[in-house]
């Protein structure tokens, strides 16, 4: 068989005992136009580099198509929809739970709001009652206060009148005592003075 | 040396065959329905993912169990990624992007186990996944926007003269998207697996040398452990990168004219 | 020159390109960190952009790795 490779001049393909194809390439002559020599100068058994061996391409391609096709079908029809569904269900569940939590939270907030409103009302009522009571007490106190004050002022005026009376009585007595003192003084010094004259003198002095 | 060959781990081994379909009378041509180790890994990946996601969510617990939580977190993770990068309109691609992410992530992770093959270190797998993404992007973009889809090549607010230079660059960058998308994943997983295998190979070679070798093997062993940790990070990161780039490209299809 | 040897050398040279990607990724993460330390509140929102930039930069490194692999095993 003629070589399909450009370098060796003769390529012999044989099948050995184990059924493998053995390619023997004989580099008899170089490509400069020398005669083909029958003596094999360089004989070597050459097997192509496995990944570059075209004889393996067909079966590998065939099996790749089958296996990858099967993988694609299994993934797209069974596995991935299932995982997607699991994730979807979980997300829905989490979202549902979150919504429920939100609803409960709002409910709680509503309750708190109601409670606070009631509290405010009660507080306002209490405040009102306290105010009312305070006003009552204050008016009562005021009343009593004014009553007591009136009584006191009445007593005060009575007392004042009595003081005035006593004072004028006392003043009158003072004139009398002065006159008598004057009489006794004059009579001791000069001799005689009538009580009537003494009184007139005292009166003029007090008046003057 | 065969045990430590870092390339051997990528061998595609035929486990059994369902026969050939479409061959002619001589048994030439046709299509071998062989079940290889990479096909087994794909089946294992898909069964793990589907089994996990379907069984853990069976209870539909309102309060998730730990296992169910993993499914839910991955769902939310991808859903948020799509929502932030493409808006709510992109959610119709959610099953596709989710399948893409978990498929790449789990096959990357499974590739870290010894004797397991990482499906995403096979070029044809990453290329077909990237082309699938780009096909969806182009078809959806054209179906939804019609002629306006071409606006993704014309950035807005740029003078006409500059556009002559910018548009070819944009076209080129669009065409290189499936290339970089597939090669990034492929290259990362391939290179990571090779590096781990190289250091693990050192351990095997050194321990064969006797006591001195066993002592000397401690260092590459520690390196293998550290690199495996790094590969866990890379596996997750590359799955994330592939998915987020898918989202970005889908966003272009949904809202062209950035 | 032997073709086989040239392939090996070419593959080795191609991997140098990954160093550039390493520098780029370092710059991206470093700048993200310094920005995040200055304004930690805005950091989380830019995580997607960080990963996007990282992915685009890293792809270029992966391309050079791919070239190395192609040279070793395919060409």
């Amino acid at each position: 068989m003629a070589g399909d490779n450009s370098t060796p001049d003769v390529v012999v393909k044989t099948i050995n005992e184990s059924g493998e194809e053995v390619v023997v390439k004989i580099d008899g002559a170089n490509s400069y136009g020398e005669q083909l020599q029958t003596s094999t100068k360089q004989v070597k058994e050459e097997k192509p580099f496995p990944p570059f061996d075209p004889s393996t391409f067909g079966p590998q391609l065939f099996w790749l198509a089958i296996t990858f096709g099967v993988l694609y079908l299994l993934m797209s029809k069974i596995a991935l929809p299932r995982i997607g569904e699991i994730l979807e269900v979980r997300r829905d569940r989490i979202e549902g739970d979150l919504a429920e939590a939100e609803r409960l939270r709002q409910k709680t907030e509503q309750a708190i709001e109601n409670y606070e409103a009631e509290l405010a009302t009660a507080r306002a009522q209490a405040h009102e009652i306290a105010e009312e009571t305070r006003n009552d007490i204050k008016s009562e106190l005021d009343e009593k206060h004014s009553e007591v004050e009136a009584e006191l002022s009445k007593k005060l005026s009575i007392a004042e009148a009595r003081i005035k009376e006593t004072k004028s009585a006392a003043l009158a007595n003072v004139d009398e005592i002065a006159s008598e003192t004057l009489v006794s003084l004059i009579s001791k010094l000069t001799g005689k003075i009538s009580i009537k004259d003494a009184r007139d003198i005292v009166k003029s002095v007090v008046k003057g | 040396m065969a045990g430590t060959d870092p390339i051997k781990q990528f061998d595609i081994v035929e486990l059994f065959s369902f026969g050939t379909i479409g061959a002619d009378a001589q048994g030439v041509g046709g299509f071998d329905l062989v079940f290889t180790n990479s096909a087994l890994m794909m089946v294992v990946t898909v069964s793990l993912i589907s089994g996990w996601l379907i069984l853990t969510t069976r209870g539909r617990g309102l309060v998730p169990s730990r296992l169910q939580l993993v499914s839910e977190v991955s769902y939310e993770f991808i859903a948020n990624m799509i929502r932030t990068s493409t808006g709510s309109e992109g959610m119709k691609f959610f099953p596709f992007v989710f399948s893409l992410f978990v498929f790449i992530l789990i096959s990357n992770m499974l590739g870290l186990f010894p004797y397991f093959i990482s499906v995403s270190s096979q070029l044809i797998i990453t290329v077909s996944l990237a082309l699938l993404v780009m096909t969806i992007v182009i078809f959806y973009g054209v179906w939804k926007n019609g002629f306006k889809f071409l606006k993704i090549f014309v950035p807005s607010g740029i003078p006409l003269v500059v556009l002559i230079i910018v548009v070819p660059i944009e076209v080129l960058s669009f065409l290189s998207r499936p290339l970089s998308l597939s090669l990034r994943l492929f290259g990362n997983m391939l290179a990571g697996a090779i590096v781990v295998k190289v250091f693990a190979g050192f351990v095997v070679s050194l321990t064969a040398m006797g006591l001195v070798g066993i002592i000397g093997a401690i260092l590459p062993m520690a390196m293998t452990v550290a690199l495996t940790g790094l590969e866990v990070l890379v596996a997750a990161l590359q799955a994330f990168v592939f998915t987020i780039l898918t989202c970005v490209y889908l966003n272009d299809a949904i809202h062209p004219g950035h | 020159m032997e073709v086989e040897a040239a392939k090996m050398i070419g593959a080795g040279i191609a991997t140098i390109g990954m160093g550039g990607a390493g520098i780029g990724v370092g710059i991206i993460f470093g700048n993200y960190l310094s920005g995040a330390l200055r304004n930690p509140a805005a950091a989380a929102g830019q995580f997607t952009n960080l990963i996007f930039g990282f992915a685009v930069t890293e792809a270029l490194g992966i391309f050079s790795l791919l070239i190395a692999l192609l040279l070793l095993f395919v060409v």
Side-chain angles (χ1 to χ4, degrees), chain A residues 49-52 58-64 67 71-72 74-76 80 82-87 90 93, chain B residues 7 10-11 18 31 33-35 38-39 42 50 53-54 57 60-62 64 68 72 75-76 96 122 128:
Chain A
F49 185 50
F52 294 154
Q60 287 204 72
L61 208 51
F62 175 74
W63 288 107
L64 174 69
T67 50
L71 179 69
Y72 179 78
L74 285 175
M75 291 298 108
S76 62
L80 295 182
R82 192 188 279 176
I83 299 175
E85 186 197 312
I86 291 171
L87 294 176
R90 183 175 308 149
R93 174 72 182 271
Chain B
I7 302 301
F10 302 110
D11 278 354
F18 291 108
F31 183 72
L33 274 182
V34 289
F35 192 80
S38 105
M42 286 189 249
S50 313
L53 285 179
I54 291 172
T57 58
R60 293 163 199 253
L62 198 63
Q68 188 186 329
E72 286 175 13
Y75 180 100
E76 293 274 2
F96 172 67
Q122 297 292 325
S128 29

Side-chain angles (χ1 to χ4, degrees), chain B residues 82-93 254-255:
Chain B
I82 296 178
R83 247 182 247 122
T84 50
S85 55
T86 70
S88 59
E89 218 178 322
M91 284 308 281
K92 61 172 72 110
F93 295 107
I254 296 167
H255 314 286

